């Protein structure tokens, strides 16, 4: 661990190492890595580094399913942003978005909504229209409104996400996840069984188009997305697609683990 950074942790180096560990599916090492550097940032008084690592931990624990640790990172991130007077910044917007998404992931959607709303206000204030970060905001807001039974609002945000992604390059994985999420929304909203099945099949087919895109790089993020989409394919009876996506992810991760660290 290198700490000769003038009172700051080497954030770029730390995140780079994290990405390499996650690409190799080495989750336990990645978690230790994050907490070691979070402790070091606290020791150095590097609160900006702490905010960065807390944001990473929120995402990590959403994937790992560790509820207590995820909510702890979310609430600590919010407190740190507020205590440092950063409520009116893009960093605050991103932290509130990540915290809200973590709360929602662990069943605390009501608690999450004010932070989603704050994130949306800050993004609207500080980001250029068409910034890629809006796509993540819209997708997660749609999921939250779905949880609360506000299906029309959810459709509105999915539509915004898809429109934005259609204007951005390299959006295949984000688009695939959006279409998978939209299939789940149709399952809840549509009462007519024939129309429901038709809409779901359309969404899943669109998702697979993006996952089959030959231009999509077969990297760790691709493997992560395959694993993320696979359970929904199985839920809707597309077992062959589920199996294939899991196999794609496993193959990529095996190859990455065999590469030199």
């Amino acid at each position: 661990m290198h700490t000769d950074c003038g009172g700051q942790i080497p954030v770029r180096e730390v995140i780079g190492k994290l990405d390499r560990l996650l690409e190799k599916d080495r989750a336990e090492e990645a978690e230790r890595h994050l907490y070691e550097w979070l402790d070091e940032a606290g020791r150095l008084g590097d609160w900006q580094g702490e905010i960065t690592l807390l944001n990473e931990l929120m995402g990590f624990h959403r994937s790992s399913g560790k509820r207590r640790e995820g909510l702890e990172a979310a609430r600590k991130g919010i407190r740190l942003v507020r205590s440092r007077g950063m409520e009116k910044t893009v960093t605050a917007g991103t932290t509130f978005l990540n915290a809200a998404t973590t709360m929602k992931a662990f069943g605390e959607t009501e608690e999450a909504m004010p932070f989603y709303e704050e994130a949306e206000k800050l993004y609207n204030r500080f980001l250029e229209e068409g910034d890629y970060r809006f796509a993540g905001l819209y997708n997660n807001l749609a999921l939250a409104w779905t949880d609360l039974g506000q299906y029309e609002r959810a459709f509105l945000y999915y539509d915004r996400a898809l429109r934005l992604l259609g204007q951005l390059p390299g959006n295949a994985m984000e688009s695939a996840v959006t279409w998978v999420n939209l299939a789940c929304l149709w399952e809840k909203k549509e009462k007519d069984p024939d129309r429901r099945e038709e809409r779901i099949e359309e969404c899943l087919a669109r998702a697979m188009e993006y996952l089959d895109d030959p231009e999509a790089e077969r990297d760790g993020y691709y493997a992560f997305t395959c694993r993320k989409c696979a359970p929904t394919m199985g839920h809707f009876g597309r077992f062959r697609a589920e199996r294939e996506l899991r196999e794609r992810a496993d193959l990529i991760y095996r190859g990455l683990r065999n590469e030199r660290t």
Side-chain angles (χ1 to χ4, degrees):
M1 182 180 291
H2 306 290
T3 59
D4 186 15
C5 303
Q8 295 182 324
I9 64 169
V11 169
R12 186 170 297 180
E13 177 184 327
V14 172
I15 300 303
K17 176 70 176 295
L18 172 67
D19 289 342
R20 291 192 296 274
L21 289 170
L22 292 176
E23 278 206 335
K24 296 174 187 295
D25 205 22
R26 291 158 60 177
E28 291 184 5
E29 290 178 64
E31 183 175 7
R32 287 197 301 272
H33 173 72
L34 281 171
Y35 277 111
E36 286 172 1
W37 279 106
L38 181 64
D39 288 345
E40 182 67 7
R43 189 187 70 79
L44 292 171
D46 180 9
W47 56 268
Q48 292 173 312
E50 286 186 89
I51 290 173
T52 298
L53 294 184
L54 287 167
N55 274 290
E56 294 293 337
L57 279 165
M58 293 178 214
F60 179 86
H61 288 311
R62 289 199 301 272
S63 297
S64 70
K66 293 185 176 181
R67 185 178 193 276
R68 180 181 62 80
E69 292 87 345
L71 292 176
E72 180 182 356
R75 291 163 183 158
K76 186 173 181 180
I78 291 167
R79 289 196 301 270
L80 193 53
V81 164
R82 295 206 191 285
S83 69
R84 294 294 175 172
M86 293 187 65
E87 297 101 320
K88 304 303 181 184
T89 64
V90 172
T91 296
T94 299
T95 303
F96 294 154
L97 172 57
N98 286 333
T101 302
T102 302
M103 292 171 184
K104 184 197 71 62
F106 292 116
E108 303 294 339
T109 305
E110 293 284 357
E111 182 182 358
M113 292 311 297
F115 298 108
Y116 275 128
E117 291 167 1
E118 284 194 68
E120 187 172 20
K121 289 177 183 177
L122 290 169
Y123 276 15
N124 285 333
R125 178 176 177 182
F126 293 112
L127 297 182
E128 294 289 334
E129 183 178 350
D131 190 288
Y132 74 94
R133 283 169 283 193
F134 279 109
L137 171 68
Y138 295 155
N139 244 314
N140 284 297
L141 266 168
L143 287 167
W145 287 121
T146 300
D147 283 356
L148 296 174
Q150 299 288 326
Y151 299 141
E152 294 304 326
R153 287 188 178 185
F155 274 117
L156 173 65
Y157 279 102
Y158 279 135
D159 182 66
R160 290 179 181 177
L162 288 169
R163 287 177 183 272
L164 176 57
L165 289 169
Q167 301 170 12
L168 298 173
N171 64 14
M173 297 303 97
E174 292 81 2
S175 296
V177 171
T178 304
W179 282 108
V180 164
N181 290 342
L182 195 52
C184 296
L185 176 56
W186 277 112
E187 180 186 34
K188 294 182 177 181
K189 179 183 184 297
E190 184 54 58
K191 303 303 182 184
D192 180 84
D194 292 333
R195 179 176 167 80
R196 181 170 62 242
E197 183 176 357
E198 179 183 346
R199 294 300 189 188
I200 289 170
E201 285 301 308
E202 177 186 356
C203 291
L204 297 181
R206 292 296 299 274
M208 286 304 301
E209 286 178 14
Y210 285 106
L211 291 166
D212 290 337
D213 183 356
E215 299 297 319
E217 185 177 358
R218 266 49 174 179
D219 56 7
Y221 185 48
Y222 180 88
F224 171 81
T225 306
C226 286
R227 282 190 177 175
K228 189 171 185 177
C229 293
T232 304
M233 294 292 176
H235 172 74
F236 288 117
R238 296 183 65 137
F239 302 115
R240 181 177 178 181
E242 178 188 21
R243 183 174 62 254
E244 184 173 332
L245 291 176
R246 292 189 188 279
E247 289 174 352
R248 291 182 193 181
D250 290 344
L251 181 63
I252 290 170
Y253 281 133
R254 280 199 302 272
L256 290 169
R257 281 195 296 268
N258 289 333
E259 292 178 2
R260 183 172 305 198
T261 304

